């Protein structure tokens, strides 16, 4: 992959291809949404709690429906009803639950079961368990594919137990999960940024395309170690 500059107009033109549908949770300022749009995806709606992030997202993508609520207070049915879809119809459910509970730069497990405060005055408790809320919402929606992102630290130390718990929960709700730590520099981006990318394919979809647990890793793109400076 070669690094290429793009504008917001490029993003919108690519999204107009409407190749697949996306709902994004923990959407932040729209980073992952931009990636889906560049790939031809139509981001139908997002869920984001932090007011500053919502303001940034809406300034770039004012046409996207925003559900500005704590994910603990909504259901997956709330999200799909906003965009006129039924259970099982959404192509991709995206989510990047807050990573501070697992980051090597943070308190990790010493900070679990505590409250996180934002500059807007908003607070959330038990950040490490927001992943379970994401899975609850996913179970309601039953998308064809679930993609989740977190820091590399979720694969290390006591956090690894949490990761395995999350993967087991994905299996319980009818998905075949896998994970891999990717470095953005290996995919054409001039930045060393390691992130854990979890991909879960609904069992009936996996059966239809001949995907098995031992071939799930083939879903990840091939690394290019010829980095952009």
């Amino acid at each position: 992959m070669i690094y290429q500059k793009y504008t917001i107009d490029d993003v919108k033109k690519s999204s107009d291809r409407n190749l697949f549908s996306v709902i994004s949770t923990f959407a932040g300022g729209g980073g992952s949404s931009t990636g889906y749009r560049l790939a031809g995806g139509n981001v139908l709606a997002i869920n984001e709690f932090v007011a500053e992030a919502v303001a940034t997202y809406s300034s770039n993508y004012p046409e996207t429906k925003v559900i500005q609520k704590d994910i603990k207070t909504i259901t997956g049915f709330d999200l799909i009803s906003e965009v006129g879809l039924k259970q099982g119809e959404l192509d991709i459910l995206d989510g990047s639950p807050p990573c501070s509970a697992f980051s090597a730069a943070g308190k990790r497990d010493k900070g679990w079961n505590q409250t996180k405060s934002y500059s807007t005055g908003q607070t959330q408790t038990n950040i490490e368990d927001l992943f379970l809320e994401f899975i609850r919402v996913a179970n309601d929606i039953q998308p064809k594919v679930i993609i989740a992102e977190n820091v590399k630290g979720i694969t290390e130390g006591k956090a690894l137990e949490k990761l395995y718990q999350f993967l087991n929960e994905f299996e319980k709700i009818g998905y075949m999960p896998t994970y891999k730590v990717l470095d953005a520099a290996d995919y054409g981006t001039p930045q060393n940024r390691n992130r854990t990318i979890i991909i879960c394919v609904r069992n009936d979809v996996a059966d239809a395309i001949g995907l098995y647990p031992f071939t799930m890793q083939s879903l990840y793109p091939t690394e290019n170690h010829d980095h952009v400076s």
Side-chain angles (χ1 to χ4, degrees):
M1 295 183 181
I2 300 174
Y3 178 66
Q4 294 178 318
K5 295 181 180 179
Y6 57 86
T7 67
I8 196 70
D9 285 338
D10 295 328
V11 176
K12 291 177 179 177
K13 287 177 182 177
S14 184
S15 182
D16 286 343
R17 293 182 290 163
N18 198 17
L19 300 180
F20 55 91
S21 59
V22 183
I23 290 178
S24 182
T25 61
F26 307 99
S32 60
S33 288
T34 301
Y36 290 118
R37 286 182 163 96
L38 283 169
N42 181 12
V43 181
L44 303 175
I46 69 157
N47 169 235
E48 173 54 52
F49 174 66
V50 180
E52 292 170 335
V54 169
T56 298
Y57 195 106
S58 295
S59 69
N60 286 318
Y61 303 117
E63 73 284 356
T64 302
K65 293 186 178 181
V66 177
I67 296 87
Q68 188 180 346
K69 294 182 179 180
D70 188 333
I71 195 170
K72 293 180 180 180
T73 68
I74 63 173
T75 68
F77 298 108
D78 293 331
L79 294 176
I80 55 177
S81 66
E82 283 283 339
V83 296
L85 293 181
K86 297 178 181 178
Q87 187 184 58
E89 292 182 337
L90 181 71
D91 291 321
I92 296 176
L93 177 67
D94 165 70
S96 301
C99 61
S100 57
F102 308 117
S103 174
K107 297 179 181 179
R108 294 178 64 77
D109 54 291
K110 294 180 181 179
W112 293 357
N113 303 312
Q114 295 184 13
T115 299
K116 177 178 175 62
S117 298
Y118 299 91
S119 60
T120 54
Q122 298 164 290
T123 60
Q124 282 181 313
T125 58
N126 296 7
I127 295 296
E128 68 279 4
D129 289 332
L130 288 178
F131 224 115
L132 295 175
E133 299 291 342
F134 173 63
I135 296 170
R136 173 184 59 80
V137 167
N139 189 32
D140 290 344
I141 296 174
Q142 287 289 306
K144 297 169 187 174
V145 175
I146 302 168
I147 299 178
E149 174 267 349
N150 214 283
V151 292
K152 180 183 178 182
I154 199 172
T155 66
E156 301 169 342
K158 290 191 69 174
L160 184 58
E161 297 176 14
K162 285 283 188 182
L163 175 59
Y164 287 154
Q165 177 190 1
F166 302 150
L167 296 176
N168 287 335
E169 292 298 321
F170 281 126
E171 289 183 346
K172 289 178 183 178
I173 66 170
Y175 287 82
M176 189 182 299
T178 190
Y179 74 92
K180 186 176 182 179
V181 176
L182 307 181
D183 184 351
D186 291 333
Y187 302 96
T189 301
Q191 182 184 53
N192 286 311
R193 181 174 290 269
N194 291 287
R195 287 294 182 270
T196 303
I197 306 297
I198 300 170
I199 300 177
C200 308
V201 179
R202 203 172 65 204
N203 288 337
D204 63 309
V205 175
D207 289 342
I209 62 176
L211 195 62
Y212 303 96
F214 55 85
T215 60
M216 282 286 288
Q217 288 281 306
S218 66
L219 297 176
Y220 294 98
T222 302
E223 298 91 340
N224 179 359
H225 299 297
D226 185 16
H227 292 174
V228 178
S229 69

